[in-house]
Amino acid sequence: MTQNFKPSIDINVLYRIRNGPLKDYQSDIDEFQKLIADNRIKYNEMFDVDMKTQKRLTNDTVKEICKLGKMQVQLLKDDPKKMLAYLYALFAQIEFSAIAKIVIHFQLFGGTILEVGTDYHHQKYFNDINNFNIVGGFAMTEMGHGSNVRQIETTSTYDLTTKEFVINSPSLSSTKFWIGNVSMFGTHVVLFTKLIFQGQDKGVHVIIVPLRDPVTMEVYKGIQLGDCGHKVGWNGIDNAWIRFTNYRVPRENLLNRFATITEDGQYLTNISSPNKLFQITISQLVFGRLLYIFGPTIFLAIGLKTAIRYAFSRRQFGEKGKPEELIIDYPTHNRVLLPMLATNMVFEFSRNWIIDNLQESSRSDEKREEYHSIVSGVKAMVCEFTIQSVSKLRVFCGGNGVSSYNYFGAMRNDLDVFQTAEGDGAVLYQQLSKFLLSEYKKWYKKQGMTGYIMKEVQTFLTTSNPIHTHYRSMPYLLSNEFHHHAFLFRFEKTRSIVIDHLNQCKGKGLSFLQSWNASLIQVVDLAKTYTHLFILENAQRTIQKVTDPITRHVLNDIVRLYALYNIEQDVGFYRNWNYLSSGKALAISEAVGELCNTLKPYALSILDSHKFHEDSLNIPLAKKDLDYVKHMADRVGIPYSSL
Amino acid sequence: MTQNFKPSIDINVLYRIRNGPLKDYQSDIDEFQKLIADNRIKYNEMFDVDMKTQKRLTNDTVKEICKLGKMQVQLLKDDPKKMLAYLYALFAQIEFSAIAKIVIHFQLFGGTILEVGTDYHHQKYFNDINNFNIVGGFAMTEMGHGSNVRQIETTSTYDLTTKEFVINSPSLSSTKFWIGNVSMFGTHVVLFTKLIFQGQDKGVHVIIVPLRDPVTMEVYKGIQLGDCGHKVGWNGIDNAWIRFTNYRVPRENLLNRFATITEDGQYLTNISSPNKLFQITISQLVFGRLLYIFGPTIFLAIGLKTAIRYAFSRRQFGEKGKPEELIIDYPTHNRVLLPMLATNMVFEFSRNWIIDNLQESSRSDEKREEYHSIVSGVKAMVCEFTIQSVSKLRVFCGGNGVSSYNYFGAMRNDLDVFQTAEGDGAVLYQQLSKFLLSEYKKWYKKQGMTGYIMKEVQTFLTTSNPIHTHYRSMPYLLSNEFHHHAFLFRFEKTRSIVIDHLNQCKGKGLSFLQSWNASLIQVVDLAKTYTHLFILENAQRTIQKVTDPITRHVLNDIVRLYALYNIEQDVGFYRNWNYLSSGKALAISEAVGELCNTLKPYALSILDSHKFHEDSLNIPLAKKDLDYVKHMADRVGIPYSSL
Ligand SMILES: Cc1cc2nc3c(=O)[nH]c(=O)nc-3n(C[C@H](O)[C@H](O)[C@H](O)COP(=O)(O)OP(=O)(O)OC[C@H]3O[C@@H](n4cnc5c(N)ncnc54)[C@H](O)[C@@H]3O)c2cc1C
Ligand SMILES: Cc1cc2nc3c(=O)[nH]c(=O)nc-3n(C[C@H](O)[C@H](O)[C@H](O)COP(=O)(O)OP(=O)(O)OC[C@H]3O[C@@H](n4cnc5c(N)ncnc54)[C@H](O)[C@@H]3O)c2cc1C
């Protein structure tokens, strides 16, 4: 396909496509990075540093960053892309724990005050947040409850006489746990707590709780807290457990945008139920989930740069008398690396869509719901794929992959938290599927049909289309049309499987929740197939807008590779539902191999279009000159000047 | 299937089956463990310890273990099961780096002297090795060569006049790298080096090289060495780079069982070629690869115990007014955990076969070759499966999985080295496939057939057997007969695919190596399908010997689950080659789900039959009382006595 093009690609063009939504912010990125460099704020390598020191160094870095005056809570609302541009800039220059600390402080703590608080809170706290005069945490999780926040046990009982909340941790399992920025440095948290008002449980509310005297750093009476101990990753973050005993905070500390208590002791809200209130409260935090897509795509790009550059320089085994083979030329290598590179790029395109639609998404309830559902699916998929991929990339670098300096270990350990926090995959996928099924139900009702088993749709799905089943000329197999149809078929078929399964369970007398849980495998599949469909459609749309012909051509192959590789991985499904003949299934595997070969010559320049990290991370295997032996030697101090 | 049995199983019976080959050594295990405990040799928790201290603590532990007088190089030959029993005992009581250090010292260093050296070396070194008076390393890998040892560049040029070897590192890439036990403590290594004799390259030989004065610990002149720096795992091991400049060692230091230099300056060997000599030298090290199966199966058992016990205690979400659901009851959990438990157990059975056949395997060249090939495949598969599984188990424990105390991080980081050292998967699988194809060629020739494309076999393979394709009553789907046939079909079909592919490449004018490399995906598949077949056959054989009816019944379900889950994972293959109809493929998925449900009630007692680590590792989520909240609280110091 690409024989007519020379294996070179304009990396600036590609850079702009990969970072599309931030293109108007390039000068902000550059300026911020220069400021950081001018102020000598450096990347702290934490490989052999005890955890207390890590936390201190991380905190110092964040303090210095805040001093630069660029990071501002308000940006989250006024110009979220600028906030992202700054975070993007930081990714290249400071260690990951410091970024996480900034996100907890500005986005989780500050963002909650911004979104759930009112003017009073904004006036009172934003300045101190921006200057890092106070250090904020986000206290939602408890020992007993993580994913299921609605069941948290911490109580805040309103005392009408003193106009205060009295906070308590009634059981061991109600202990707040994992609360970042708190065990050493935190002065405040936004506390997720049940509000008890005149003996009534009003559901989950959020209250600003001061923890320590900001000058003496002494923890206030009525609060006990301590560190959660050593972690697989994120050891620069001071995660804490916290317990409250009759700890009092004033009425004004309730973040009262959606529900309030008046001075004269009335509980007021426009929201119909505590459940609804909870949903609205939580939905303000979508920006955080976006960051959990942002981070992994950057990490994976770094890992790919490392492993692919190494694969283009490392030689092992070969024919007698000839140079040994480059390991990139082993199909066991390139047949994995190139699909992974392709997947990383289409993930970036989805991330870009999510960034571009962030503000738009808050225009209506429907839009918000759809947007949140897509973000959930993409977040779950990106995190899971990335962590598995980083492990594979590690192995592809052999022993050198085990050296901390090549960064796979640190990435994997930090990524582990991404996968769990802000919603675990199994839970997020369920949210997406719920949305998909309720949308379907709506549409379905509009069509005026009755009953729940959709004979028509079923028939469409089970009648295999002979063109799709057998036609297997290469051009057709490579066409966007075929890929889209295959992804769409998989999604719709899976939807009908889920509905069938739910109905069967219902037929056996199970409750809705029992039926749902019994169908979880299918439910999760539904969300996955939809997420893949979304990613593909978005990638195809992205490419249509590319004007530079070579770039467009290469990106087209990238998207095709993602699509075909994905179909290949799921070939059992397609064969089981007679969507593909066996001959076509085998032809698809061949096409994947050919696309890998076609794209291989472009791989290095694609990597170059990811411009970050070369200096700060100083990864020996990832250097542009491909001289890994020399760079590893430099890293561990092997003398070689005499050679 | 198992409705008639109560969900309880005799854990002692099961323990003996899982640890079959060591059953006559239980008293050795017990005695050694008591000795360790009596001498107060403790597990060193290394979560927040700098790497120098880790190395020192590790070395101290090994010194104390050696003082107990049980570990002896000679056991590797005289009673290898006793050696394994001791290592097994150690696994439960000391940290992993210390075990790795013991293995490097006794097995890689000592074992090489045992197997490649002669009486002179045994007399001279064994005592000092057993007492840890000298500390040994294994210096094979160089910066430029890991998997392809044959191309190492370090030279040892024999000086006829002084009867010495003159050792040099001629290039930067010839620097020895990753050599364990060396950067801080090593006094000697067995050095893999090209032997240059009278201007001729005689290929790879092994020489004992003293590095440091054992008293002053000063590194000898002519040697430069240093630490390889921080690693993803194994930081208790002092891995080193080493460079030699005209460093001299006496003639006697050549390990000369297979090739020698006489006093009067003749190079003598019975081995036909340097290549053959290399193979024989390397093949002595199979015991090491066995340990790389041993370790991961234990790690996975620990991880499963942690995640499954947690899943039987953690509740999250549920119906209003009822207790929340146990997460083990979510199909997304149990549909992964139970097949993983089953796979871990059939891996153990293979490990047991490998242990039981270790001594027998050295009886003849053929036996040795077959044995080594199987060990290669099992090692590659166990390591890859285990590291992926540990990552999944981590996620299944949510945030608590990120706590270092629950041990997933440490296991994953240590396992990473397992995957790479002693042969990377991609390389080991190729070795197995080479063996399988050459065996096939031999058989094929014996049948008196000519040509290389085997029409008959092909026909057998492509004619799908209607019974196998369509018959899908549950009993048949669950039968050992069906599973075995499916695994065998997959192996034989893959073999014919590989041969076809190689022939096609040959037809296009590629050399053998080019053809081989172009077929790598298929070649690796062949080794995998064979390894699965071996594992299944061995598991089925193992169970036939079980007499206790409940145990036998449960184990039968375990093996079935492994088989069906494996077929389900590879359903695309079976469908593509018309081995399964789509209806049957779907029925298999259902059967997997049912088996998971059947086995779930037995899961806890299966875990109990893995008796180790409860105390030494002190994993909060893995405690038998299932009270994870309390144990996490204890670990991080949350006060709860007043609650
Ligand atoms: C390093 C770190 C930092 C953190 N920082 C903060 C912080 O600053 N503030 C804060 O409030 N929290 C924080 N957390 C907590 C984090 O957000 C939670 O760990 C996360 O919400 C998951 O909850 P959990 O750990 O209780 O897991 P659980 O919800 O108990 O989940 C355990 C397992 O069960 C599965 N599961 C649960 N429900 C279902 C279901 N319905 N269906 C199928 N499967 C299910 C999950 O997928 C998971 O595999 C942090 C955690 C870590 C590790
Ligand atoms: C912590 C640690 C401790 C170690 N301890 C020791 C020690 O004590 N003594 C010692 O001698 N060594 C030691 N090693 C080295 C280890 O044994 C090597 O890393 C291992 O042999 C792999 O070699 P390599 O790193 O050079 O990888 P390479 O051989 O360069 O492999 C790199 C990648 O290329 C792939 N590849 C290579 N050849 C092929 C092929 N033909 N087909 C397909 N793919 C291929 C591999 O699968 C791998 O993914 C240690 C390593 C580590 C990390």
Side-chain angles (χ1 to χ4, degrees):
Chain A
M1 293 300 297
T2 39
Q3 290 91 321
N4 305 329
F5 295 97
K6 268 193 49 178
S8 95
I9 188 170
D10 186 328
I11 64 166
N12 291 314
V13 171
L14 196 51
Y15 171 81
R16 281 193 296 274
I17 297 165
R18 294 178 79 174
N19 299 287
L22 301 182
K23 63 175 175 297
D24 299 336
Y25 295 82
Q26 191 57 48
S27 60
D28 294 294
I29 295 177
D30 295 340
E31 190 199 340
F32 195 36
Q33 293 200 313
K34 189 166 176 310
L35 208 57
I36 294 168
D38 289 349
N39 282 273
R40 291 170 212 282
I41 305 174
K42 289 238 172 65
Y43 183 89
N44 292 312
E45 205 173 80
M46 302 284 202
F47 297 133
D48 198 30
V49 178
D50 69 274
M51 64 183 196
K52 268 222 168 123
T53 310
Q54 282 190 47
K55 293 176 184 22
R56 227 172 260 130
L57 287 169
T58 301
N59 198 64
D60 291 348
T61 299
V62 175
K63 202 182 285 173
E64 291 177 63
I65 294 289
C66 290
K67 264 199 230 145
L68 303 178
K70 293 279 177 191
M71 301 295 303
Q72 307 225 327
V73 190
Q74 300 91 321
L75 286 178
L76 287 167
K77 193 168 226 158
D78 301 343
D79 196 352
K81 284 191 180 178
K82 191 179 251 183
M83 183 61 123
L84 281 170
Y86 288 150
L87 289 171
Y88 192 55
L90 288 173
F91 248 103
Q93 274 167 292
I94 65 171
E95 69 276 11
F96 179 74
S97 274
I99 297 173
K101 193 173 187 96
I102 286 173
V103 169
I104 297 170
H105 176 70
F106 281 97
Q107 189 266 321
L108 284 174
F109 176 69
T112 303
I113 297 176
L114 178 73
E115 297 287 357
V116 190
T118 48
D119 233 29
Y120 164 80
H121 306 104
H122 301 175
Q123 297 296 333
K124 180 156 182 195
Y125 295 102
F126 281 178
N127 233 343
D128 281 342
I129 294 175
N130 294 340
N131 298 330
F132 211 56
N133 288 340
I134 63 176
V135 178
F138 179 84
M140 186 159 80
T141 307
E142 299 176 354
M143 290 189 96
H145 289 94
S147 304
N148 188 14
V149 183
R150 239 169 278 215
Q151 297 293 322
I152 53 169
E153 300 170 80
T154 303
T155 53
S156 296
T157 308
Y158 190 64
D159 181 340
L160 279 166
T161 52
T162 63
K163 298 178 183 165
E164 287 171 326
F165 297 101
V166 187
I167 309 176
N168 276 293
S169 308
S171 62
L172 184 54
S173 57
S174 75
T175 310
K176 289 287 170 190
F177 209 75
W178 291 124
I179 313 308
N181 287 3
V182 165
S183 77
M184 284 175 74
F185 302 104
T187 60
H188 295 71
V189 290
V190 285
L191 180 78
F192 285 69
T193 166
K194 285 201 293 192
L195 174 61
I196 311 292
F197 186 80
Q198 297 198 297
Q200 257 200 334
D201 182 350
K202 294 287 188 189
V204 176
H205 288 64
V206 191
I207 296 176
I208 299 186
V209 175
L211 300 173
R212 287 186 171 93
D213 182 316
V215 180
T216 66
M217 288 304 276
E218 217 168 306
V219 175
Y220 293 124
K221 239 192 109 209
I223 297 178
Q224 289 174 298
L225 59 80
D227 196 75
C228 289
H230 199 266
K231 300 182 290 277
V232 173
W234 295 42
N235 279 303
I237 301 290
D238 52 329
N239 292 97
W241 56 268
I242 318 175
R243 293 190 53 78
F244 300 95
T245 316
N246 293 322
Y247 184 68
R248 288 176 172 262
V249 299
R251 180 185 68 92
E252 294 80 4
N253 283 25
L254 177 69
L255 295 179
N256 60 347
R257 177 168 164 206
F258 303 109
T260 194
I261 295 179
T262 59
E263 252 224 270
D264 58 347
Q266 294 183 64
Y267 176 87
L268 296 179
T269 179
N270 284 328
I271 315 290
S272 54
S273 76
N275 257 349
K276 187 89 195 148
L277 175 65
F278 174 75
Q279 270 165 15
I280 292 181
T281 305
I282 287 289
S283 74
Q284 306 307 316
L285 305 171
V286 72
F287 193 86
R289 216 162 268 168
L290 190 165
L291 294 174
Y292 281 66
I293 299 168
F294 209 66
T297 50
I298 294 181
F299 274 172
L300 185 52
I302 296 172
L304 280 162
K305 186 180 271 187
T306 306
I308 293 179
R309 284 189 173 165
Y310 186 58
F312 271 96
S313 49
R314 177 73 170 175
R315 292 178 182 275
Q316 203 74 188
F317 294 104
E319 216 119 14
K320 247 199 188 143
K322 292 193 189 157
E324 292 172 274
E325 299 285 333
L326 281 175
I327 59 176
I328 189 71
D329 288 328
Y330 291 118
T332 38
H333 250 66
N334 61 52
R335 204 56 169 58
V336 175
L337 286 175
L338 288 155
M340 203 186 279
L341 181 64
T343 306
N344 184 221
M345 289 175 80
V346 298
F347 282 173
E348 287 178 349
F349 299 154
S350 285
R351 174 196 73 195
N352 292 349
W353 181 93
I354 289 170
I355 295 173
D356 275 333
N357 287 273
L358 177 65
Q359 282 191 301
E360 182 64 24
S361 75
S362 58
R363 295 277 148 81
S364 72
D365 273 6
E366 280 99 65
K367 277 201 177 146
R368 179 181 297 127
E369 214 187 332
E370 182 184 0
Y371 182 79
H372 279 228
S373 304
I374 291 171
V375 172
S376 294
V378 175
K379 187 267 183 187
M381 186 165 287
V382 166
C383 286
E384 189 180 353
F385 182 85
T386 301
I387 195 162
Q388 287 173 359
S389 298
V390 167
S391 262
K392 285 186 197 159
L393 293 174
R394 204 297 293 154
V395 175
F396 277 13
C397 295
N400 283 329
V402 177
S403 166
S404 295
Y405 310 134
N406 291 315
Y407 211 64
F408 294 110
M411 283 200 288
R412 193 176 54 189
N413 291 340
D414 285 341
L415 278 166
D416 238 346
V417 182
F418 279 93
Q419 220 175 339
T420 297
E422 296 277 344
D424 178 78
V427 178
L428 290 180
Y429 282 135
Q430 290 181 56
Q431 285 175 14
L432 172 54
S433 284
K434 262 176 209 159
F435 168 76
L436 293 169
L437 291 173
S438 75
E439 283 297 292
Y440 189 60
K441 210 169 156 183
K442 274 187 226 159
W443 169 83
Y444 195 71
K445 279 197 179 143
K446 259 199 223 138
Q447 307 297 306
M449 292 181 268
T450 54
Y452 207 54
I453 300 168
M454 319 132 291
K455 286 265 183 282
E456 282 91 334
V457 183
Q458 289 285 29
T459 316
F460 158 74
L461 287 169
T462 50
T463 316
S464 53
N465 176 340
I467 293 205
H468 291 291
T469 315
H470 291 294
Y471 193 55
R472 64 172 192 259
S473 76
M474 266 305 172
Y476 182 65
L477 278 187
L478 294 176
S479 74
N480 292 350
E481 185 204 345
F482 165 64
H483 303 159
H484 186 259
H485 193 278
F487 276 49
L488 187 63
F489 169 84
R490 183 171 55 177
F491 163 59
E492 297 198 332
K493 182 74 206 169
T494 307
R495 189 175 54 198
S496 86
I497 292 171
V498 173
I499 293 171
D500 267 6
H501 206 278
L502 289 171
N503 277 332
Q504 275 170 30
C505 294
K506 220 173 124 191
K508 287 183 203 155
L510 299 190
S511 71
F512 177 73
L513 191 70
Q514 284 167 335
S515 303
W516 181 267
N517 285 340
S519 312
L520 272 193
I521 301 283
Q522 293 78 12
V523 164
V524 167
D525 277 349
L526 175 62
K528 285 185 182 173
T529 57
Y530 178 78
T531 306
H532 279 303
L533 176 63
F534 170 81
I535 289 172
L536 181 73
E537 285 180 344
N538 179 66
Q540 290 181 343
R541 269 197 312 268
T542 302
I543 287 166
Q544 273 166 23
K545 283 180 243 150
V546 176
T547 49
D548 178 67
I550 298 192
T551 310
R552 185 176 175 140
H553 197 95
V554 173
L555 286 181
N556 229 323
D557 279 353
I558 287 282
V559 178
R560 284 170 178 156
L561 179 54
Y562 159 72
L564 285 171
Y565 180 75
N566 198 275
I567 294 171
E568 187 192 28
Q569 296 294 304
D570 218 5
V571 65
F573 178 92
Y574 287 107
R575 292 281 295 119
N576 274 347
W577 300 107
N578 289 320
Y579 185 83
L580 292 180
S581 67
S582 61
K584 192 163 180 180
L586 296 171
I588 285 175
S589 288
E590 266 173 51
V592 171
E594 279 179 34
L595 275 171
C596 289
N597 285 331
T598 308
L599 283 167
K600 203 168 65 181
Y602 295 94
L604 287 178
S605 42
I606 292 176
L607 299 178
D608 291 342
S609 73
H610 190 268
K611 294 192 194 173
F612 277 133
H613 306 281
E614 313 260 323
D615 299 330
S616 62
L617 299 184
N618 190 21
I619 298 174
L621 302 192
K623 301 281 178 176
K624 206 171 161 149
D625 65 8
L626 305 185
D627 195 354
Y628 70 91
V629 174
K630 190 169 142 293
H631 297 297
M632 281 301 291
D634 284 340
R635 252 316 174 95
V636 302
I638 303 175
Y640 56 85
S641 56
S642 61
L643 288 168
Chain B
M1 294 296 299
T2 38
Q3 290 92 320
N4 305 329
F5 295 96
K6 266 193 50 176
S8 96
I9 187 169
D10 186 328
I11 64 167
N12 291 314
V13 171
L14 195 50
Y15 171 80
R16 281 194 296 275
I17 296 166
R18 294 179 79 174
N19 300 287
L22 301 182
K23 63 176 174 295
D24 298 336
Y25 296 82
Q26 191 57 48
S27 60
D28 294 293
I29 295 177
D30 296 340
E31 190 198 341
F32 195 37
Q33 294 199 313
K34 187 165 179 308
L35 209 56
I36 294 168
D38 289 350
N39 282 272
R40 291 170 211 280
I41 304 175
K42 289 239 173 65
Y43 182 89
N44 292 312
E45 205 173 80
M46 302 284 201
F47 297 135
D48 197 31
V49 178
D50 68 276
M51 64 183 197
K52 268 223 168 122
T53 310
Q54 282 190 46
K55 292 176 184 24
R56 227 173 260 130
L57 288 169
T58 301
N59 198 63
D60 291 348
T61 300
V62 175
K63 203 183 281 172
E64 291 177 64
I65 295 289
C66 290
K67 264 200 230 145
L68 305 178
K70 293 280 177 191
M71 300 295 301
Q72 307 224 328
V73 189
Q74 299 92 321
L75 286 178
L76 287 168
K77 194 169 225 155
D78 301 343
D79 196 351
K81 285 190 180 177
K82 190 178 249 181
M83 182 61 123
L84 281 170
Y86 288 151
L87 289 171
Y88 192 55
L90 287 174
F91 248 102
Q93 274 167 293
I94 66 172
E95 69 277 11
F96 179 73
S97 275
I99 297 172
K101 192 172 187 95
I102 286 172
V103 169
I104 297 169
H105 176 70
F106 280 97
Q107 190 267 321
L108 284 174
F109 176 68
T112 303
I113 297 175
L114 177 74
E115 296 287 358
V116 190
T118 48
D119 233 30
Y120 163 80
H121 307 104
H122 302 175
Q123 297 296 333
K124 182 157 180 193
Y125 294 103
F126 282 177
N127 234 341
D128 282 341
I129 293 175
N130 294 339
N131 297 329
F132 212 56
N133 289 340
I134 63 176
V135 178
F138 179 83
M140 186 159 82
T141 306
E142 299 176 353
M143 290 190 97
H145 289 93
S147 304
N148 189 14
V149 183
R150 238 170 279 215
Q151 298 292 322
I152 54 169
E153 300 171 80
T154 303
T155 55
S156 297
T157 309
Y158 190 65
D159 181 341
L160 279 167
T161 52
T162 62
K163 297 178 185 166
E164 287 171 325
F165 297 102
V166 187
I167 308 176
N168 275 292
S169 310
S171 61
L172 183 55
S173 57
S174 75
T175 308
K176 289 287 171 192
F177 210 75
W178 291 124
I179 313 308
N181 286 5
V182 165
S183 77
M184 283 175 75
F185 302 104
T187 61
H188 294 72
V189 290
V190 285
L191 180 78
F192 284 70
T193 166
K194 284 202 293 194
L195 174 60
I196 312 292
F197 185 79
Q198 298 198 297
Q200 258 198 334
D201 182 349
K202 293 289 188 188
V204 176
H205 288 65
V206 191
I207 296 176
I208 299 186
V209 175
L211 299 173
R212 288 187 170 93
D213 183 315
V215 180
T216 67
M217 288 305 276
E218 216 169 304
V219 175
Y220 293 124
K221 239 193 109 207
I223 298 179
Q224 289 174 298
L225 60 80
D227 195 74
C228 290
H230 199 266
K231 299 182 291 276
V232 174
W234 296 41
N235 280 302
I237 301 290
D238 53 329
N239 291 97
W241 56 267
I242 319 175
R243 294 192 51 79
F244 300 95
T245 315
N246 293 322
Y247 183 70
R248 288 175 172 262
V249 300
R251 180 184 67 93
E252 293 81 3
N253 285 24
L254 177 69
L255 296 179
N256 60 347
R257 176 167 163 207
F258 303 109
T260 194
I261 294 177
T262 60
E263 252 226 88
D264 58 348
Q266 294 183 63
Y267 176 87
L268 297 180
T269 179
N270 283 330
I271 315 291
S272 55
S273 74
N275 256 349
K276 188 89 197 147
L277 175 64
F278 174 76
Q279 271 164 15
I280 291 181
T281 305
I282 286 290
S283 74
Q284 305 307 315
L285 306 171
V286 72
F287 193 86
R289 215 162 269 167
L290 191 165
L291 293 175
Y292 280 67
I293 298 168
F294 209 67
T297 49
I298 294 181
F299 274 171
L300 186 52
I302 296 172
L304 281 162
K305 187 179 272 187
T306 307
I308 294 178
R309 284 189 173 164
Y310 186 58
F312 271 96
S313 48
R314 177 73 170 176
R315 293 178 181 278
Q316 203 74 189
F317 295 104
E319 216 119 14
K320 248 199 187 143
K322 292 193 188 155
E324 292 173 273
E325 299 285 332
L326 281 176
I327 59 176
I328 190 70
D329 288 329
Y330 290 119
T332 39
H333 250 65
N334 62 52
R335 205 52 171 60
V336 175
L337 286 174
L338 288 154
M340 203 186 278
L341 181 64
T343 306
N344 185 222
M345 288 177 81
V346 298
F347 282 172
E348 287 178 349
F349 299 154
S350 285
R351 173 197 73 194
N352 292 349
W353 181 93
I354 289 170
I355 296 173
D356 275 333
N357 286 273
L358 178 65
Q359 283 191 300
E360 182 64 25
S361 76
S362 59
R363 295 276 147 82
S364 72
D365 274 5
E366 280 99 66
K367 279 200 176 148
R368 179 181 296 126
E369 214 186 331
E370 184 184 358
Y371 182 78
H372 279 226
S373 304
I374 291 171
V375 173
S376 294
V378 175
K379 187 266 182 188
M381 186 165 287
V382 166
C383 286
E384 190 180 351
F385 182 84
T386 301
I387 194 161
Q388 287 173 359
S389 298
V390 167
S391 261
K392 285 186 199 159
L393 294 174
R394 204 298 292 154
V395 175
F396 277 13
C397 295
N400 283 330
V402 178
S403 166
S404 295
Y405 310 134
N406 291 315
Y407 211 64
F408 294 109
M411 283 201 288
R412 191 176 56 189
N413 291 340
D414 285 341
L415 277 166
D416 237 347
V417 182
F418 278 93
Q419 218 175 340
T420 296
E422 296 275 345
D424 177 79
V427 178
L428 290 180
Y429 280 136
Q430 290 181 54
Q431 285 174 15
L432 172 54
S433 283
K434 263 178 206 156
F435 168 77
L436 293 170
L437 290 174
S438 76
E439 284 296 293
Y440 189 59
K441 211 170 157 182
K442 274 187 225 160
W443 169 84
Y444 196 69
K445 278 198 178 143
K446 260 200 221 137
Q447 308 297 307
M449 292 182 269
T450 54
Y452 208 55
I453 300 168
M454 319 131 293
K455 286 266 183 283
E456 281 91 335
V457 182
Q458 289 284 29
T459 316
F460 158 74
L461 287 169
T462 49
T463 316
S464 54
N465 177 339
I467 292 205
H468 291 292
T469 316
H470 292 294
Y471 193 55
R472 64 170 192 261
S473 76
M474 266 304 172
Y476 182 64
L477 279 187
L478 293 176
S479 74
N480 292 350
E481 185 204 344
F482 165 64
H483 303 159
H484 186 260
H485 193 278
F487 276 49
L488 187 63
F489 169 84
R490 183 171 55 177
F491 163 59
E492 296 199 331
K493 182 73 205 171
T494 307
R495 188 174 56 198
S496 86
I497 292 171
V498 172
I499 294 171
D500 267 5
H501 207 279
L502 288 171
N503 278 331
Q504 276 171 27
C505 294
K506 219 173 123 189
K508 288 182 201 155
L510 301 190
S511 70
F512 176 73
L513 191 71
Q514 285 166 336
S515 305
W516 181 266
N517 285 341
S519 313
L520 271 194
I521 301 282
Q522 293 78 11
V523 164
V524 167
D525 278 349
L526 175 62
K528 286 185 182 171
T529 57
Y530 178 79
T531 306
H532 279 304
L533 177 62
F534 169 81
I535 289 171
L536 181 72
E537 285 180 346
N538 179 65
Q540 290 182 343
R541 269 196 311 269
T542 302
I543 287 165
Q544 273 164 24
K545 284 180 242 149
V546 176
T547 49
D548 178 67
I550 298 192
T551 311
R552 185 177 175 139
H553 198 94
V554 172
L555 285 181
N556 229 322
D557 279 352
I558 287 282
V559 178
R560 284 169 177 155
L561 179 55
Y562 159 72
L564 285 171
Y565 180 75
N566 198 274
I567 294 171
E568 187 193 28
Q569 296 294 304
D570 219 5
V571 65
F573 178 93
Y574 287 108
R575 291 282 295 120
N576 275 346
W577 301 107
N578 289 320
Y579 184 82
L580 291 180
S581 67
S582 61
K584 191 162 180 181
L586 295 172
I588 284 176
S589 288
E590 267 174 49
V592 171
E594 280 180 33
L595 274 170
C596 289
N597 285 331
T598 308
L599 283 166
K600 203 167 64 180
Y602 295 93
L604 287 177
S605 43
I606 292 176
L607 299 178
D608 291 342
S609 73
H610 190 267
K611 294 192 195 174
F612 278 132
H613 307 281
E614 313 259 323
D615 299 331
S616 62
L617 298 184
N618 190 21
I619 298 174
L621 302 192
K623 301 281 179 178
K624 208 172 157 145
D625 65 8
L626 304 185
D627 194 353
Y628 69 91
V629 174
K630 190 169 142 293
H631 297 297
M632 281 300 292
D634 283 339
R635 252 318 174 93
V636 301
I638 303 177
Y640 58 84
S641 55
S642 61
L643 289 168

